Amino acid sequence: MRMTFYGQFVAGEDQEDIKPLIRRNRAFGVGSILDYSVEEDLTQEEAEKKEMESCESLAEKEVKGDSHREKKFRPHRQFGDRRENVISARTYFYADESKCDQYMETFLKCIAASGGSSEDGFSAIKMTALGRPQFLLQFSEVLVKWRGFFGQLAAEQGKAGQAAVETKLDLERLQESLAKLGIATMEEITHWFTGEKIGLSGTVDLLDWNNLIDNRTKIAKLFVVPNLQTGEIEPLLLQFTEEEELQMKRMLQRMDVLAKKALESRVRLMVDAEQTYFQPAISRLTLEMQRKFNTEKPVIFNTYQCYLKDAYDNVSVDVELARRENWYFGAKLVRGAYMAQERKRAKEIGYEDPINKTYEATNVMYHRCLDYILEEIKVNRKANVMVASHNEQTVGYALQRMHDLGLHPLAKKIYFGQLLGMSDQISFPLGQAGYPVYKYVPYGPVEEVLPYLSRRAQENRGMVAGTQRERRLLWNELKRRILKGELFYKPAY
């Protein structure tokens, strides 16, 4: 395995073992995003059992009959094994709080290794490793329902279909609608907005609306929304037990510890994207870290999956918030790793497919999100983006747009990223031409990385096509070396 698959896609066993590869890549202008890729080797049955136990709250177990939770945000045993149909992403299952502490320590070592090997490195983390996934599920549902409620109110004002960042509701009409729905009295509703100094311009946008839920402890009544099917007012969140409250706090504390370590080590922390039923909470928690730690430079980067239908709305709303609050926006743009799993889950459980209909539509979405961020970089130097793609057309598009907008690579606002062992024909020419480019570098002991690697072996057709192109390029280089008498040529670095 060391000489074949492991050697191709994994840098080594530990922080010392990976240093030669990191130094070699750095000599050619290619940085590293360190990712400790160890996974538990669970059977499907074990994974499903762990997922069901960790995604259902005590309150839900006690409630008889139908839950208020939407299908998408309920745990489903047939999709409990989140590794199914996922090739290039690690998967964590919750065991207990001590296991989460172990993962945090691993991430801390990864940050330290990244800081010790380069001055401008990245380290990747996954939120599902840091706490009970129940909270991500429930908080995601809260955020999605709250945003959907805003969409419902926008439709009442004839503003359905507008881009999220451009939708502005008339404050007076909004307050009347809330009172009419029975959310609270007009006096209470007026106090919500004046107390938080929202709507001073006479309008309320999605960022103002989200700000209300940020202060949810002060206005507990806002934790209800109308059910679109029944028209009844329902609670957004079931009550947490004392132990669940503590578990949630520990998750937030672990995130805080990692962010502080990254800042101290001069390492940028990249929060990976996950399934859509977790992602709204992951993005919101990452956003909170950005607000706190991205005040002087971009330390925390969020990941946006452009195969999602709402990718542009997510990017544009977050960019606008960063602009409004004057902190550094950091994003990694990917197409996404969970498409087959997401589509199957949506179809079988019965909710709208969150994925764009075609690959072409995803390409359009990727370029649209990238354009928005590049234009923000042009006018506001506080935005940063990583173009994480093996698609040569997308990389070429990004380079052309940089040229058109006069964005110089030495400004180090636009980065490029590819997986270790793949698309070297993109990474190394970019690095040698002076563009900030990074390899996503998995590492860990052979036996413990095998569960992750076994899924990576199940390459989809798009990846195989890319591998065939690399084979042709390698064959051409081999012929060139034979003809030039440089068969054993080794570049100096």
Side-chain angles (χ1 to χ4, degrees):
M1 290 301 291
R2 281 177 177 276
M3 298 299 292
T4 56
F5 207 68
Y6 179 93
Q8 176 71 9
F9 295 110
V10 183
E13 296 216 6
D14 54 35
Q15 287 93 330
E16 284 301 313
D17 204 16
I18 67 179
K19 282 182 179 177
L21 181 138
I22 290 171
R23 280 198 299 267
R24 176 185 174 277
N25 285 358
R26 184 74 271 171
F28 291 102
V30 178
S32 299
I33 306 168
L34 296 192
D35 180 20
Y36 193 69
S37 298
V38 167
E39 280 187 8
E40 282 186 282
D41 192 9
L42 302 174
T43 65
Q44 181 180 339
E45 187 179 354
E46 287 170 335
E48 288 173 357
K49 184 173 184 289
K50 282 195 170 188
E51 187 74 351
M52 294 304 293
E53 288 174 352
S54 62
C55 284
E56 195 172 34
S57 69
L58 186 64
E60 285 177 301
K61 291 173 184 173
E62 292 174 350
V63 171
K64 306 296 182 185
D66 190 33
S67 166
H68 285 310
R69 288 175 70 178
E70 292 184 6
K71 293 177 184 177
K72 180 175 181 176
F73 300 102
R74 293 181 207 162
H76 298 271
R77 182 170 288 277
Q78 67 268 42
F79 294 98
D81 187 353
R82 289 182 276 113
R83 300 167 300 183
E84 187 182 357
N85 296 318
V86 176
I87 295 167
S88 58
R90 287 160 301 131
T91 304
Y92 291 96
F93 292 95
Y94 180 83
D96 52 39
E97 292 298 297
S98 64
K99 193 69 175 177
C100 294
D101 286 333
Q102 286 178 32
Y103 287 137
M104 182 188 72
E105 291 299 325
T106 298
F107 290 150
L108 287 171
K109 289 177 184 175
C110 198
I111 292 167
S114 187
S117 60
S118 66
E119 293 180 3
D120 58 352
F122 283 89
S123 189
I125 66 168
K126 256 188 158 55
M127 208 75 86
T128 47
L130 298 175
R132 193 178 175 90
Q134 166 201 337
F135 309 122
L136 297 177
L137 264 182
Q138 290 183 283
F139 191 30
S140 289
E141 182 174 20
V142 167
L143 294 168
V144 168
K145 280 186 175 180
W146 191 244
R147 188 160 171 169
F149 189 15
F150 181 81
Q152 179 188 347
L153 295 165
E156 286 182 12
Q157 295 194 16
K159 297 182 179 180
Q162 289 186 0
V165 77
E166 295 168 6
T167 306
K168 298 183 189 299
L169 307 187
D170 179 80
L171 177 60
E172 286 189 15
R173 290 179 64 188
L174 171 62
Q175 291 173 328
E176 288 169 6
S177 296
L178 292 173
K180 188 177 177 183
L181 285 166
I183 300 294
T185 67
M186 180 58 84
E187 184 181 352
E188 287 174 318
I189 293 165
T190 304
H191 177 68
W192 293 344
F193 290 93
T194 54
E196 301 301 329
K197 294 184 169 54
I198 293 171
L200 297 178
S201 63
T203 61
V204 174
D205 63 14
L206 185 57
L207 296 180
D208 296 325
W209 185 249
N210 287 341
N211 195 44
L212 284 177
I213 209 165
D214 284 342
N215 297 285
R216 57 193 175 276
T217 53
K218 302 175 192 173
I219 43 176
K221 284 193 177 181
L222 277 179
F223 258 95
V224 294
V225 293
N227 183 310
L228 296 180
Q229 278 73 44
T230 65
E232 294 179 2
I233 300 298
E234 294 179 349
L236 268 180
L237 195 62
L238 291 170
Q239 192 68 36
F240 285 152
T241 65
E242 189 175 337
E243 177 58 26
E244 287 170 337
E245 287 274 6
L246 283 172
Q247 289 171 344
M248 184 167 65
K249 285 176 183 174
R250 288 191 203 112
M251 184 182 195
L252 300 175
Q253 286 165 355
R254 291 181 191 110
M255 290 163 51
D256 196 62
V257 167
L258 292 172
K260 285 176 179 172
K261 180 67 174 177
L263 184 63
E264 172 193 315
S265 305
R266 302 178 69 183
V267 169
R268 285 158 294 187
L269 200 60
M270 194 166 274
V271 182
D272 283 345
E274 304 192 46
Q275 286 86 351
T276 53
Y277 43 92
F278 293 140
Q279 192 54 42
I282 291 170
S283 287
R284 172 51 69 88
L285 294 173
T286 304
L287 197 74
E288 294 304 320
M289 287 202 294
Q290 288 180 315
R291 279 171 150 166
K292 183 174 179 179
F293 294 99
N294 285 12
T295 54
E296 296 182 9
K297 59 183 178 180
V299 177
I300 310 297
F301 278 63
N302 197 8
T303 302
Y304 296 88
Q305 301 170 104
C306 294
Y307 64 12
L308 298 179
K309 293 172 184 175
D310 59 1
Y312 177 78
D313 278 349
N314 293 336
V315 167
S316 57
V317 166
D318 290 354
V319 167
E320 173 61 27
L321 182 65
R323 185 190 302 147
R324 193 175 291 186
E325 297 183 348
N326 198 32
W327 43 264
Y328 285 81
F329 175 80
K332 178 176 76 167
L333 292 185
V334 300
R335 278 175 171 77
Y338 305 97
M339 183 177 73
Q341 185 188 92
E342 293 274 15
R343 282 214 161 120
K344 185 179 178 184
R345 190 178 190 270
K347 183 178 179 181
E348 291 192 18
I349 292 174
Y351 58 87
E352 184 186 350
D353 184 355
I355 310 293
N356 288 317
K357 287 188 177 179
T358 64
Y359 182 74
E360 290 70 27
T362 293
N363 287 339
V364 169
M365 180 67 81
Y366 195 108
H367 291 174
R368 188 184 180 199
C369 292
L370 178 58
D371 273 334
Y372 190 88
I373 299 172
L374 291 178
E375 285 164 11
E376 176 66 12
I377 293 171
K378 175 71 176 175
V379 298
N380 177 11
R381 308 301 287 180
K382 288 194 167 186
N384 300 259
V385 64
M386 174 170 281
V387 182
S389 176
H390 297 108
N391 186 302
E392 290 186 30
Q393 286 72 36
T394 292
V395 172
Y397 179 84
L399 295 174
Q400 183 60 51
R401 292 295 293 136
M402 287 177 68
H403 176 76
D404 295 343
L405 294 167
L407 300 172
H408 200 279
L410 292 181
K412 295 189 176 180
K413 297 290 181 183
I414 301 109
Y415 318 94
F416 295 86
Q418 289 85 39
L419 287 166
L420 181 71
M422 295 181 65
S423 300
D424 285 354
Q425 79 279 8
I426 296 175
S427 310
F428 286 91
L430 281 173
Q432 290 173 295
Y435 288 88
V437 59
Y438 292 81
K439 283 293 193 184
Y440 215 87
V441 178
Y443 72 97
V446 179
E447 317 78 44
E448 295 180 51
V449 175
L450 282 178
Y452 162 75
L453 274 180
S454 66
R455 296 201 317 281
R456 281 291 307 278
Q458 302 165 27
E459 303 286 5
N460 61 30
R461 283 180 297 173
M463 285 186 176
V464 171
T467 305
Q468 289 169 347
R469 170 164 164 68
E470 287 184 55
R471 267 177 53 188
R472 287 197 302 272
L473 291 168
L474 287 167
W475 178 240
N476 290 340
E477 174 62 11
L478 181 60
K479 287 191 289 186
R480 185 195 71 77
R481 289 190 182 191
I482 291 171
L483 292 172
K484 294 268 188 179
E486 296 179 345
L487 183 59
F488 298 105
Y489 167 72
K490 287 184 71 175
Y493 61 88

PDB file of all heavy atoms in Angstrom, residues 35 53-54 59 66 85 125 127 161 186 188 190 213 229 236 251 281 286 321 391 403 410 421 423 445 464 489:
ATOM      1  N   ASP A  35      -4.570  17.533   6.446  1.00  0.00           N
ATOM      2  CA  ASP A  35      -5.833  16.888   6.784  1.00  0.00           C
ATOM      3  C   ASP A  35      -5.548  15.496   7.337  1.00  0.00           C
ATOM      4  O   ASP A  35      -5.170  14.597   6.592  1.00  0.00           O
ATOM      5  CB  ASP A  35      -6.700  16.798   5.521  1.00  0.00           C
ATOM      6  CG  ASP A  35      -8.043  16.149   5.781  1.00  0.00           C
ATOM      7  OD1 ASP A  35      -8.464  16.122   6.945  1.00  0.00           O
ATOM      8  OD2 ASP A  35      -8.672  15.676   4.814  1.00  0.00           O
ATOM      9  N   GLU A  53     -28.433   7.051  17.405  1.00  0.00           N
ATOM     10  CA  GLU A  53     -28.321   7.396  18.826  1.00  0.00           C
ATOM     11  C   GLU A  53     -27.877   8.837  19.033  1.00  0.00           C
ATOM     12  O   GLU A  53     -28.275   9.483  20.007  1.00  0.00           O
ATOM     13  CB  GLU A  53     -27.323   6.447  19.504  1.00  0.00           C
ATOM     14  CG  GLU A  53     -27.846   5.032  19.692  1.00  0.00           C
ATOM     15  CD  GLU A  53     -26.793   4.085  20.239  1.00  0.00           C
ATOM     16  OE1 GLU A  53     -25.604   4.492  20.330  1.00  0.00           O
ATOM     17  OE2 GLU A  53     -27.147   2.936  20.582  1.00  0.00           O
ATOM     18  N   SER A  54     -27.043   9.353  18.137  1.00  0.00           N
ATOM     19  CA  SER A  54     -26.463  10.689  18.340  1.00  0.00           C
ATOM     20  C   SER A  54     -27.244  11.809  17.660  1.00  0.00           C
ATOM     21  O   SER A  54     -26.948  12.980  17.878  1.00  0.00           O
ATOM     22  CB  SER A  54     -25.023  10.716  17.830  1.00  0.00           C
ATOM     23  OG  SER A  54     -24.979  10.457  16.436  1.00  0.00           O
ATOM     24  N   ALA A  59     -35.809  14.777  24.178  1.00  0.00           N
ATOM     25  CA  ALA A  59     -37.173  15.310  24.077  1.00  0.00           C
ATOM     26  C   ALA A  59     -37.950  14.602  22.974  1.00  0.00           C
ATOM     27  O   ALA A  59     -39.134  14.298  23.120  1.00  0.00           O
ATOM     28  CB  ALA A  59     -37.122  16.810  23.811  1.00  0.00           C
ATOM     29  N   ASP A  66     -46.341  12.211  15.750  1.00  0.00           N
ATOM     30  CA  ASP A  66     -45.565  12.891  14.712  1.00  0.00           C
ATOM     31  C   ASP A  66     -44.774  14.055  15.295  1.00  0.00           C
ATOM     32  O   ASP A  66     -45.265  14.829  16.100  1.00  0.00           O
ATOM     33  CB  ASP A  66     -46.506  13.400  13.614  1.00  0.00           C
ATOM     34  CG  ASP A  66     -45.745  13.908  12.402  1.00  0.00           C
ATOM     35  OD1 ASP A  66     -44.673  13.333  12.117  1.00  0.00           O
ATOM     36  OD2 ASP A  66     -46.216  14.854  11.763  1.00  0.00           O
ATOM     37  N   ASN A  85     -21.722   6.168  -0.817  1.00  0.00           N
ATOM     38  CA  ASN A  85     -21.654   6.989  -2.040  1.00  0.00           C
ATOM     39  C   ASN A  85     -20.835   8.275  -1.864  1.00  0.00           C
ATOM     40  O   ASN A  85     -21.014   9.222  -2.612  1.00  0.00           O
ATOM     41  CB  ASN A  85     -23.063   7.364  -2.537  1.00  0.00           C
ATOM     42  CG  ASN A  85     -23.863   6.155  -2.955  1.00  0.00           C
ATOM     43  OD1 ASN A  85     -23.334   5.253  -3.600  1.00  0.00           O
ATOM     44  ND2 ASN A  85     -25.137   6.114  -2.574  1.00  0.00           N
ATOM     45  N   ILE A 125     -10.649  21.100   9.069  1.00  0.00           N
ATOM     46  CA  ILE A 125     -11.378  20.428  10.149  1.00  0.00           C
ATOM     47  C   ILE A 125     -12.803  20.110   9.686  1.00  0.00           C
ATOM     48  O   ILE A 125     -13.304  20.711   8.734  1.00  0.00           O
ATOM     49  CB  ILE A 125     -11.447  21.279  11.434  1.00  0.00           C
ATOM     50  CG1 ILE A 125     -12.289  22.548  11.213  1.00  0.00           C
ATOM     51  CG2 ILE A 125     -10.061  21.629  11.929  1.00  0.00           C
ATOM     52  CD1 ILE A 125     -12.645  23.284  12.506  1.00  0.00           C
ATOM     53  N   MET A 127     -16.717  19.722  11.277  1.00  0.00           N
ATOM     54  CA  MET A 127     -17.516  20.070  12.448  1.00  0.00           C
ATOM     55  C   MET A 127     -18.149  18.843  13.110  1.00  0.00           C
ATOM     56  O   MET A 127     -18.320  18.813  14.328  1.00  0.00           O
ATOM     57  CB  MET A 127     -18.597  21.071  12.036  1.00  0.00           C
ATOM     58  CG  MET A 127     -19.027  21.992  13.136  1.00  0.00           C
ATOM     59  SD  MET A 127     -17.832  23.271  13.486  1.00  0.00           S
ATOM     60  CE  MET A 127     -18.274  24.539  12.307  1.00  0.00           C
ATOM     61  N   GLY A 161     -38.799  35.264  -5.393  1.00  0.00           N
ATOM     62  CA  GLY A 161     -37.920  35.017  -6.529  1.00  0.00           C
ATOM     63  C   GLY A 161     -36.731  35.948  -6.635  1.00  0.00           C
ATOM     64  O   GLY A 161     -35.853  35.746  -7.477  1.00  0.00           O
ATOM     65  N   MET A 186     -48.525  43.478  18.493  1.00  0.00           N
ATOM     66  CA  MET A 186     -47.853  44.516  17.724  1.00  0.00           C
ATOM     67  C   MET A 186     -46.835  45.270  18.592  1.00  0.00           C
ATOM     68  O   MET A 186     -45.746  45.624  18.123  1.00  0.00           O
ATOM     69  CB  MET A 186     -48.884  45.502  17.144  1.00  0.00           C
ATOM     70  CG  MET A 186     -48.261  46.625  16.318  1.00  0.00           C
ATOM     71  SD  MET A 186     -47.271  46.042  14.909  1.00  0.00           S
ATOM     72  CE  MET A 186     -48.578  45.799  13.691  1.00  0.00           C
ATOM     73  N   GLU A 188     -45.103  44.059  21.139  1.00  0.00           N
ATOM     74  CA  GLU A 188     -43.915  43.222  21.303  1.00  0.00           C
ATOM     75  C   GLU A 188     -43.080  43.203  20.027  1.00  0.00           C
ATOM     76  O   GLU A 188     -41.849  43.306  20.077  1.00  0.00           O
ATOM     77  CB  GLU A 188     -44.342  41.786  21.653  1.00  0.00           C
ATOM     78  CG  GLU A 188     -44.879  41.634  23.077  1.00  0.00           C
ATOM     79  CD  GLU A 188     -45.428  40.239  23.320  1.00  0.00           C
ATOM     80  OE1 GLU A 188     -46.121  39.692  22.425  1.00  0.00           O
ATOM     81  OE2 GLU A 188     -45.168  39.695  24.410  1.00  0.00           O
ATOM     82  N   THR A 190     -42.923  45.435  17.625  1.00  0.00           N
ATOM     83  CA  THR A 190     -42.265  46.740  17.437  1.00  0.00           C
ATOM     84  C   THR A 190     -41.017  46.835  18.307  1.00  0.00           C
ATOM     85  O   THR A 190     -39.977  47.327  17.876  1.00  0.00           O
ATOM     86  CB  THR A 190     -43.236  47.883  17.779  1.00  0.00           C
ATOM     87  OG1 THR A 190     -44.413  47.744  16.980  1.00  0.00           O
ATOM     88  CG2 THR A 190     -42.595  49.241  17.507  1.00  0.00           C
ATOM     89  N   ILE A 213     -32.685  36.309  15.116  1.00  0.00           N
ATOM     90  CA  ILE A 213     -32.529  34.966  15.683  1.00  0.00           C
ATOM     91  C   ILE A 213     -31.186  34.825  16.388  1.00  0.00           C
ATOM     92  O   ILE A 213     -31.010  33.983  17.257  1.00  0.00           O
ATOM     93  CB  ILE A 213     -32.728  33.874  14.606  1.00  0.00           C
ATOM     94  CG1 ILE A 213     -33.270  32.603  15.256  1.00  0.00           C
ATOM     95  CG2 ILE A 213     -31.469  33.605  13.822  1.00  0.00           C
ATOM     96  CD1 ILE A 213     -33.823  31.604  14.295  1.00  0.00           C
ATOM     97  N   GLN A 229     -48.147  24.119   5.753  1.00  0.00           N
ATOM     98  CA  GLN A 229     -49.200  23.159   5.397  1.00  0.00           C
ATOM     99  C   GLN A 229     -50.458  23.344   6.254  1.00  0.00           C
ATOM    100  O   GLN A 229     -51.572  23.389   5.747  1.00  0.00           O
ATOM    101  CB  GLN A 229     -48.679  21.721   5.552  1.00  0.00           C
ATOM    102  CG  GLN A 229     -47.863  21.196   4.377  1.00  0.00           C
ATOM    103  CD  GLN A 229     -46.483  21.837   4.313  1.00  0.00           C
ATOM    104  OE1 GLN A 229     -45.822  21.967   5.333  1.00  0.00           O
ATOM    105  NE2 GLN A 229     -46.058  22.235   3.123  1.00  0.00           N
ATOM    106  N   LEU A 236     -39.907  26.223  16.942  1.00  0.00           N
ATOM    107  CA  LEU A 236     -38.780  25.903  16.083  1.00  0.00           C
ATOM    108  C   LEU A 236     -37.885  24.841  16.701  1.00  0.00           C
ATOM    109  O   LEU A 236     -37.232  24.092  16.003  1.00  0.00           O
ATOM    110  CB  LEU A 236     -37.932  27.167  15.855  1.00  0.00           C
ATOM    111  CG  LEU A 236     -38.256  28.020  14.630  1.00  0.00           C
ATOM    112  CD1 LEU A 236     -37.317  29.208  14.570  1.00  0.00           C
ATOM    113  CD2 LEU A 236     -38.135  27.213  13.350  1.00  0.00           C
ATOM    114  N   MET A 251     -19.096  21.679  22.314  1.00  0.00           N
ATOM    115  CA  MET A 251     -18.829  21.728  20.874  1.00  0.00           C
ATOM    116  C   MET A 251     -18.334  23.133  20.470  1.00  0.00           C
ATOM    117  O   MET A 251     -17.349  23.284  19.740  1.00  0.00           O
ATOM    118  CB  MET A 251     -20.101  21.374  20.104  1.00  0.00           C
ATOM    119  CG  MET A 251     -19.923  21.289  18.614  1.00  0.00           C
ATOM    120  SD  MET A 251     -21.518  20.920  17.816  1.00  0.00           S
ATOM    121  CE  MET A 251     -20.956  20.448  16.198  1.00  0.00           C
ATOM    122  N   ALA A 281     -26.159  24.817   9.806  1.00  0.00           N
ATOM    123  CA  ALA A 281     -25.585  25.049  11.136  1.00  0.00           C
ATOM    124  C   ALA A 281     -24.072  25.185  11.058  1.00  0.00           C
ATOM    125  O   ALA A 281     -23.477  26.054  11.708  1.00  0.00           O
ATOM    126  CB  ALA A 281     -25.966  23.908  12.081  1.00  0.00           C
ATOM    127  N   THR A 286     -19.442  28.621  11.567  1.00  0.00           N
ATOM    128  CA  THR A 286     -18.203  29.097  10.935  1.00  0.00           C
ATOM    129  C   THR A 286     -18.251  30.611  10.774  1.00  0.00           C
ATOM    130  O   THR A 286     -17.252  31.310  10.993  1.00  0.00           O
ATOM    131  CB  THR A 286     -18.004  28.423   9.570  1.00  0.00           C
ATOM    132  OG1 THR A 286     -18.027  27.002   9.732  1.00  0.00           O
ATOM    133  CG2 THR A 286     -16.681  28.834   8.940  1.00  0.00           C
ATOM    134  N   LEU A 321     -22.622  40.358   4.606  1.00  0.00           N
ATOM    135  CA  LEU A 321     -22.477  40.485   6.053  1.00  0.00           C
ATOM    136  C   LEU A 321     -21.046  40.896   6.425  1.00  0.00           C
ATOM    137  O   LEU A 321     -20.851  41.777   7.263  1.00  0.00           O
ATOM    138  CB  LEU A 321     -22.830  39.163   6.739  1.00  0.00           C
ATOM    139  CG  LEU A 321     -22.765  39.185   8.266  1.00  0.00           C
ATOM    140  CD1 LEU A 321     -23.817  40.116   8.850  1.00  0.00           C
ATOM    141  CD2 LEU A 321     -22.919  37.785   8.848  1.00  0.00           C
ATOM    142  N   ASN A 391     -10.938  20.905 -12.280  1.00  0.00           N
ATOM    143  CA  ASN A 391     -11.450  21.193 -13.614  1.00  0.00           C
ATOM    144  C   ASN A 391     -10.575  22.262 -14.276  1.00  0.00           C
ATOM    145  O   ASN A 391     -10.525  23.407 -13.828  1.00  0.00           O
ATOM    146  CB  ASN A 391     -12.906  21.667 -13.491  1.00  0.00           C
ATOM    147  CG  ASN A 391     -13.567  21.863 -14.826  1.00  0.00           C
ATOM    148  OD1 ASN A 391     -13.092  22.631 -15.647  1.00  0.00           O
ATOM    149  ND2 ASN A 391     -14.675  21.179 -15.042  1.00  0.00           N
ATOM    150  N   HIS A 403      -7.146  38.280 -14.559  1.00  0.00           N
ATOM    151  CA  HIS A 403      -6.492  39.185 -15.524  1.00  0.00           C
ATOM    152  C   HIS A 403      -7.430  40.339 -15.882  1.00  0.00           C
ATOM    153  O   HIS A 403      -7.023  41.510 -15.889  1.00  0.00           O
ATOM    154  CB  HIS A 403      -6.097  38.397 -16.772  1.00  0.00           C
ATOM    155  CG  HIS A 403      -5.514  39.244 -17.860  1.00  0.00           C
ATOM    156  ND1 HIS A 403      -4.223  39.747 -17.824  1.00  0.00           N
ATOM    157  CD2 HIS A 403      -6.065  39.725 -19.014  1.00  0.00           C
ATOM    158  CE1 HIS A 403      -4.000  40.480 -18.897  1.00  0.00           C
ATOM    159  NE2 HIS A 403      -5.094  40.473 -19.642  1.00  0.00           N
ATOM    160  N   LEU A 410       0.320  37.912  -6.614  1.00  0.00           N
ATOM    161  CA  LEU A 410       1.168  38.213  -5.458  1.00  0.00           C
ATOM    162  C   LEU A 410       0.399  38.895  -4.324  1.00  0.00           C
ATOM    163  O   LEU A 410       0.882  38.951  -3.195  1.00  0.00           O
ATOM    164  CB  LEU A 410       2.356  39.082  -5.874  1.00  0.00           C
ATOM    165  CG  LEU A 410       3.401  38.390  -6.773  1.00  0.00           C
ATOM    166  CD1 LEU A 410       4.534  39.337  -7.104  1.00  0.00           C
ATOM    167  CD2 LEU A 410       3.941  37.119  -6.119  1.00  0.00           C
ATOM    168  N   GLY A 421      -1.828  13.995  -5.191  1.00  0.00           N
ATOM    169  CA  GLY A 421      -1.852  12.841  -6.085  1.00  0.00           C
ATOM    170  C   GLY A 421      -2.732  13.010  -7.296  1.00  0.00           C
ATOM    171  O   GLY A 421      -2.849  12.107  -8.121  1.00  0.00           O
ATOM    172  N   SER A 423      -4.150  15.878 -10.463  1.00  0.00           N
ATOM    173  CA  SER A 423      -4.081  17.154 -11.190  1.00  0.00           C
ATOM    174  C   SER A 423      -2.785  17.932 -10.936  1.00  0.00           C
ATOM    175  O   SER A 423      -2.787  19.146 -10.831  1.00  0.00           O
ATOM    176  CB  SER A 423      -5.295  18.035 -10.850  1.00  0.00           C
ATOM    177  OG  SER A 423      -6.486  17.395 -11.201  1.00  0.00           O
ATOM    178  N   PRO A 445      -1.625   6.967   9.879  1.00  0.00           N
ATOM    179  CA  PRO A 445      -1.119   5.590   9.783  1.00  0.00           C
ATOM    180  C   PRO A 445      -1.845   4.794   8.707  1.00  0.00           C
ATOM    181  O   PRO A 445      -3.059   4.968   8.506  1.00  0.00           O
ATOM    182  CB  PRO A 445      -1.415   5.014  11.178  1.00  0.00           C
ATOM    183  CG  PRO A 445      -1.535   6.200  12.064  1.00  0.00           C
ATOM    184  CD  PRO A 445      -2.103   7.298  11.223  1.00  0.00           C
ATOM    185  N   VAL A 464     -11.839   9.353 -13.360  1.00  0.00           N
ATOM    186  CA  VAL A 464     -11.098   8.428 -14.215  1.00  0.00           C
ATOM    187  C   VAL A 464     -10.680   9.122 -15.502  1.00  0.00           C
ATOM    188  O   VAL A 464      -9.558   8.964 -15.986  1.00  0.00           O
ATOM    189  CB  VAL A 464     -11.942   7.169 -14.513  1.00  0.00           C
ATOM    190  CG1 VAL A 464     -11.262   6.319 -15.567  1.00  0.00           C
ATOM    191  CG2 VAL A 464     -12.142   6.357 -13.240  1.00  0.00           C
ATOM    192  N   TYR A 489      16.267  12.407 -14.932  1.00  0.00           N
ATOM    193  CA  TYR A 489      16.358  13.822 -14.540  1.00  0.00           C
ATOM    194  C   TYR A 489      15.556  14.087 -13.273  1.00  0.00           C
ATOM    195  O   TYR A 489      14.401  13.691 -13.155  1.00  0.00           O
ATOM    196  CB  TYR A 489      15.833  14.690 -15.682  1.00  0.00           C
ATOM    197  CG  TYR A 489      15.587  16.128 -15.327  1.00  0.00           C
ATOM    198  CD1 TYR A 489      16.648  17.003 -15.111  1.00  0.00           C
ATOM    199  CD2 TYR A 489      14.290  16.623 -15.202  1.00  0.00           C
ATOM    200  CE1 TYR A 489      16.426  18.328 -14.777  1.00  0.00           C
ATOM    201  CE2 TYR A 489      14.053  17.957 -14.874  1.00  0.00           C
ATOM    202  CZ  TYR A 489      15.133  18.784 -14.661  1.00  0.00           C
ATOM    203  OH  TYR A 489      14.914  20.112 -14.342  1.00  0.00           O
TER     204      TYR A 489
END
